[in-house]
Amino acid sequence: MELAPGIVCIGDKTRGYVRAFLVADGKELTLVDALADTHPFAVLAAIRRLGRSVTDLKRIWLTHAHFSHLCGAAELRQLTGAKVCSHEWEADIVSGDRKAQPVSLVPKRPLRAYIPFQLGLALGLGDHPPCPVDDVLTDGHEEGGLAVLHAPGHTPGHVGFWSEKHGVLLSGDAIVTWPEFAGGWDSFRLNAVQQKESLRRMAALTPKVVGVGHGDPIMERAAERVDSLL
Ligand SMILES: [Zn+2]
Ligand SMILES: [Zn+2]
């Protein structure tokens, strides 16, 4: 599914409809998040569908270090030579040197998101193939047609990405549409105050389209809908 010319959404029903995005900027491709499969067949198929080759993938930018979003990163990095980047706070989780920060064991809404996600995280499960991080992402950095937006709350080093040219916001897990439209999952929010501020920054961009971390993209009245989360 295409969010705008050259911005493609990838993913199926697994891992809570987890999503990744390929962004073309001239000849270069950027992958935002790497899905939950260790073998990145869905990403490779999407690259082929765009008529590109794997070596066109220059960077793999991770919104945060929850395993549903990064299991494919290690193999993709090897196959393509792309640089893997995350916020500094998430980097040692991606590289396998630290566990993802656990959340409460008390089930919270939405319950469909609780298992296996929250339970796995609470118990320290959900290991991904460790992946070296080549560079860290800082707020405001621009490359490959995207600007980095530090958007903590869901995790401390959570980032979103903004395509000014297309009015497309890639929100990561700061916004989800599965199993319902929400400003992230209650069960996963590590810091509600930061999350609210992150949503404010996202709303201020007045996006035309939002590609979310879980669920279908928001293709219509996106700015109005993000605003409704404040
Ligand atoms: Zn997450
Ligand atoms: Zn997620």
Side-chain angles (χ1 to χ4, degrees), residues 63-69 121 154-155 158 173 185 188 214:
T63 57
H64 65 300
H66 280 160
F67 70 94
S68 316
H69 301 269
L121 271 178
H154 181 73
T155 64
H158 184 282
D173 283 4
W185 293 335
F188 272 87
H214 296 266

Side-chain angles (χ1 to χ4, degrees), residues 3-78:
L3 275 60
I7 303 182
V8 178
C9 179
I10 314 165
D12 53 28
K13 294 180 178 179
T14 60
R15 297 288 179 187
Y17 289 73
V18 70
R19 294 291 180 259
F21 302 89
L22 268 177
V23 180
D25 184 45
K27 285 174 83 83
E28 296 190 349
L29 293 176
T30 301
L31 178 71
V32 170
D33 286 341
L35 300 175
D37 295 304
T38 307
H39 184 70
F41 54 84
V43 175
L44 297 175
I47 292 173
R48 275 197 301 275
R49 273 198 303 277
L50 278 174
R52 308 299 182 99
S53 82
V54 292
T55 52
D56 293 336
L57 186 67
K58 299 301 178 198
R59 55 196 80 80
I60 299 163
W61 280 3
L62 300 172
T63 57
H64 65 300
H66 280 160
F67 70 94
S68 316
H69 301 269
L70 57 82
C71 287
E75 192 158 334
L76 268 172
R77 180 177 179 271
Q78 280 225 312

